[in-house]
Amino acid sequence: MAATARSGGDIDPAKDERAGKVREVGSQAVWSLSSCKPGNGIGQLRDDCMDTYWQSDGQLPHLVNIQFRRKTTVRDICIYFDYKIDESYCPSRISIRAGTNFNDLQEVEVIELNEPNGWVRIPLKDIHERPIRTFMIQIAVLSNHQNGRDTHVRQIKIHSPMEAKGAALDNLGTFVTVDCQQYSCIR
């Protein structure tokens, strides 16, 4: 059973970050790749530049492994693709897997991509429709458009929901500036 992910120019992964609804937790993880061409690895996948990309080098499936040091709540994954530029390098089918380590990964989502151009948001939910909690996420590129061999993925963002803890501040409104947000919770 494959889902079709929502994509396009209307998705802005930074919008929810700026609104304080989610935080990007990819920097808290250890990233690894099944393969990459020299100069097109994790650094390019995480540099916030849409002109750079990870390019795989080898047989399908191509894997991106994201391992967290502690169990982490993940609401969604946002991936940037550019079919107009990448064509046969652009994935057409990806699998998202989650688990404790490489040995117990379970498939959470399978996504069919039809010439994606822009950000694709993939919500990750458990059987109770809540964001998943996991130590590891694996993104597997199962096939590319035009039967391409290698893959280009331009950016990946991992979002965790912001959780209010302690005193209820809901009736005070949402803090949107950095100056106010720094006082929105007690550590």
Side-chain angles (χ1 to χ4, degrees):
M1 171 174 78
T4 302
R6 198 174 133 230
S7 69
D10 60 334
I11 295 175
D12 178 9
K15 181 180 178 185
D16 285 348
E17 290 177 51
R18 288 189 301 269
K21 295 179 182 177
V22 298
R23 60 189 170 103
E24 207 286 324
V25 294
S27 60
Q28 298 173 10
V30 176
W31 292 66
S32 62
L33 304 168
S34 57
S35 66
C36 68
K37 295 272 188 190
N40 294 95
I42 295 168
Q44 291 69 35
L45 189 60
R46 298 282 300 154
D47 66 2
D48 289 326
C49 178
M50 304 312 163
D51 296 327
T52 61
Y53 49 85
W54 160 53
Q55 182 174 338
S56 64
D57 185 17
Q59 298 294 328
L60 288 165
H62 303 300
L63 307 174
V64 178
N65 303 303
I66 306 153
Q67 294 176 280
F68 296 99
R69 290 174 178 84
R70 62 177 59 110
K71 200 168 199 179
T72 302
T73 303
V74 178
R75 185 187 89 167
D76 62 47
I77 298 174
C78 293
I79 307 175
Y80 191 87
F81 301 105
D82 194 336
Y83 178 79
K84 291 177 183 175
I85 295 173
D86 298 329
E87 294 182 352
S88 68
Y89 290 93
C90 190
S92 61
R93 184 176 172 93
I94 61 174
S95 168
I96 309 294
R97 304 161 183 168
T100 306
N101 57 50
F102 286 99
N103 299 319
D104 70 353
L105 292 173
Q106 298 288 319
E107 196 165 74
V108 179
E109 286 286 340
V110 175
I111 307 298
E112 298 287 340
L113 300 164
N114 184 19
E115 300 181 5
N117 189 36
W119 287 102
V120 174
R121 175 175 283 135
I122 304 164
L124 300 181
K125 297 186 181 202
D126 64 14
I127 59 172
H128 303 292
E129 294 296 312
R130 293 182 303 225
I132 66 168
R133 289 189 43 79
T134 187
F135 280 100
M136 181 174 179
I137 293 175
Q138 184 178 75
I139 301 168
V141 176
L142 304 176
S143 64
N144 290 324
H145 286 82
Q146 303 170 10
N147 294 318
R149 180 176 158 222
D150 288 332
T151 292
H152 285 182
V153 176
R154 294 187 172 262
Q155 293 294 302
I156 298 177
K157 303 284 183 192
I158 310 292
H159 288 135
S160 182
M162 294 293 285
E163 298 172 6
K165 294 182 180 176
L169 298 175
D170 295 338
N171 57 351
L172 298 177
T174 303
F175 297 116
V176 292
T177 65
V178 173
D179 292 334
C180 287
Q181 284 181 348
Q182 67 185 353
Y183 299 110
S184 66
C185 65
I186 300 171
R187 296 182 185 188

